[in-house]
Amino acid sequence: MPSSVRPEVVLLITKLDLNHPDARKRPYHRDGRPFTRAERDLLTTFTPEEKTAAIAQIQLEAEWQRELDEMKNAFVDLLMKYFAKLAKGSVVSDAVAIMTDEDYTEFERLAEIVTAEDTLEYRALHEGS
């Protein structure tokens, strides 16, 4: 039996910005763009199964973002542990040079997922929130 869930409809539902100030009048994408007429027409045809699939997808994306945020924080924490031992103005390669084997393995794992620049920017924007 073919699936009754249309991926394009699920995607539209997941892109809805329900907090947009004008959301009661028309649907908006999370990036602020209003839905096109074709998107609005398609959105009005969603089924309960598609709504359920969209909710599940939104939950998966939220969990993925939480995990990514945790990895970014772990990456920064790992580097800061070594920067605390180094002179002001040191760079990542200085910290890597004095890491234990165990920490270096963790550094390599996390570095594939996040970069120091992205992570430090993230911490600067979200520290204390």
Side-chain angles (χ1 to χ4, degrees), residues 6 9 39-48 50:
R6 297 168 292 170
V9 175
E39 289 172 327
R40 287 193 316 256
D41 291 347
L42 185 56
L43 188 61
T44 63
T45 67
F46 77 85
T47 65
E50 290 163 342

Side-chain angles (χ1 to χ4, degrees), residues 11-92:
L11 182 61
L12 279 179
I13 296 169
T14 65
K15 300 301 178 193
L16 269 171
D17 180 357
L18 300 174
N19 296 316
H20 191 280
D22 204 24
R24 294 179 143 275
K25 294 180 183 171
R26 68 183 301 178
Y28 285 84
H29 289 268
R30 285 187 264 161
D31 66 6
R33 292 177 298 121
F35 276 40
T36 64
R37 165 66 72 190
E39 289 172 327
R40 287 193 316 256
D41 291 347
L42 185 56
L43 188 61
T44 63
T45 67
F46 77 85
T47 65
E49 293 83 9
E50 290 163 342
K51 179 181 176 184
T52 299
I55 291 169
Q57 181 62 33
I58 290 166
Q59 290 169 339
L60 283 172
E61 289 175 13
E63 179 58 29
W64 173 81
Q65 188 61 56
R66 277 190 296 277
E67 289 176 11
L68 182 59
D69 290 347
E70 288 172 9
M71 286 185 272
K72 287 178 178 182
N73 286 332
F75 188 70
V76 169
D77 291 346
L78 178 63
L79 286 172
M80 295 311 288
K81 177 169 111 177
Y82 289 95
F83 277 122
K85 299 174 184 180
L86 295 168
K88 188 173 185 159
S90 296
V91 295
V92 171

